[in-house]
């Protein structure tokens, strides 16, 4: 039986999404330093107190925006992992997706290439653990699923290398997304072949 979410909870979740949408757009335009809670409130059509009631602080709001972006990214990568016919295709598709995501997602693109959101760069560098960890864990799970003889520790090292290389290509492209995927494949796949 499907559980029905109470109306009040649906309204609160809708409000939260509206606030996150507003904050993401403003972060892309102005970065962390230029983000003001009153602007988020005005963009969302609510009071400033509503924003504070929902998130508590500007830092918590920005963290929520980052976590939602990561969740959306992980969901997209999960679909690629599940539909790829083989490991090579999966690695290629997820790296290409990562690099494209950096170009196509307005917030990520502004963090990487815009002066306005440059102060959010630590989410991809020095404070990247909450962003990278879910992608690494997803990678490990799928590597072990596709290559059951791959030891967990080895899978973790390979996954971390693959994710960090993909993010590096996203931040500093040296070609198109397909070329980036081929470069990561050239590093990752030989490390796995021994266990296949």
């Amino acid at each position: 039986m499907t559980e029905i979410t109470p109306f009040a909870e649906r309204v609160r979740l809708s409000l939260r999404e509206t606030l996150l949408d507003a904050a993401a757009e403003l972060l892309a335009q102005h970065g962390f330093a230029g983000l003001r809670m009153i602007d988020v409130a005005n963009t969302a059509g609510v009071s400033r107190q509503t924003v504070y009631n929902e998130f508590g602080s500007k830092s918590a709001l920005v963290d929520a925006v980052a976590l939602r972006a990561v969740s959306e990214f992980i969901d997209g990568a999960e679909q690629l992992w599940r539909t790829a016919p083989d490991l090579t295709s999966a690695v290629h598709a997820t790296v290409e997706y990562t690099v494209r995501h950096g170009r196509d997602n307005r917030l990520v693109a502004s963090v990487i290439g815009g002066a306005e959101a440059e102060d959010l760069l630590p989410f991809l560098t020095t404070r990247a653990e909450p962003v990278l960890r879910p992608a690494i864990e997803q990678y490990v799970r799928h590597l072990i699923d596709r290559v059951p003889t791959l030891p967990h520790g080895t899978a973790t090292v390979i996954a971390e290398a693959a994710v960090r290389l993909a993010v590096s290509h996203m931040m500093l492209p040296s070609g198109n997304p397909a070329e980036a995927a081929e470069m990561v494949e050239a590093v990752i796949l030989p490390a796995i072949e021994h266990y296949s």
Side-chain angles (χ1 to χ4, degrees):
M1 186 167 152
T2 304
E3 186 176 318
I4 297 174
T5 306
F7 178 74
E9 181 64 13
R10 290 196 314 267
V11 169
R12 193 189 75 70
L13 291 173
S14 176
L15 169 65
R16 186 174 181 83
E17 287 302 308
T18 300
L19 294 171
L20 290 171
D21 288 343
E25 184 59 33
L26 291 167
L27 281 166
Q29 293 173 20
H30 308 292
F32 182 83
L35 181 69
R36 299 180 333 143
M37 298 295 258
I38 188 66
D39 294 335
V40 174
N42 289 340
T43 300
V46 298
S47 70
R48 184 173 63 144
Q49 188 58 48
T50 300
V51 181
Y52 278 105
N53 289 347
E54 189 62 36
F55 294 100
S57 69
K58 178 174 147 177
S59 291
L61 172 59
V62 172
D63 286 347
V65 169
L67 289 174
R68 183 179 74 162
V70 168
S71 177
E72 291 169 351
F73 172 80
I74 292 295
D75 289 347
E78 185 67 26
Q79 182 64 28
L80 294 171
W81 275 110
R82 289 182 184 207
T83 58
D86 55 53
L87 182 59
T88 301
S89 301
V91 170
H92 187 93
T94 56
V95 173
E96 197 169 338
Y97 171 70
T98 301
V99 175
R100 266 191 221 297
H101 187 71
R103 296 177 184 177
D104 297 343
N105 181 288
R106 178 156 160 52
L107 180 57
V108 175
S110 64
V111 168
I112 294 170
E116 298 81 11
E118 186 176 82
D119 58 358
L120 294 171
L121 201 53
F123 280 103
L124 294 173
T125 56
T126 57
R127 289 184 53 209
E129 180 68 18
V131 172
L132 297 181
R133 186 57 40 204
I136 292 167
E137 289 169 357
Q138 179 184 55
Y139 223 101
V140 169
R141 190 175 72 253
H142 284 286
L143 283 177
I144 290 173
D145 184 50
R146 289 181 183 257
V147 186
T149 56
L150 188 64
H152 190 275
T154 303
T156 301
V157 170
I158 292 168
E160 185 149 352
V163 169
R164 289 182 182 276
L165 284 169
V167 169
S168 177
H169 279 283
M170 178 183 72
M171 293 177 66
L172 295 168
S174 59
N176 65 44
E179 291 168 335
E182 289 166 8
M183 285 188 253
V184 174
E185 283 175 49
V187 173
I188 298 307
L189 295 178
I192 299 168
E193 283 173 6
H194 174 72
Y195 300 96
S196 297

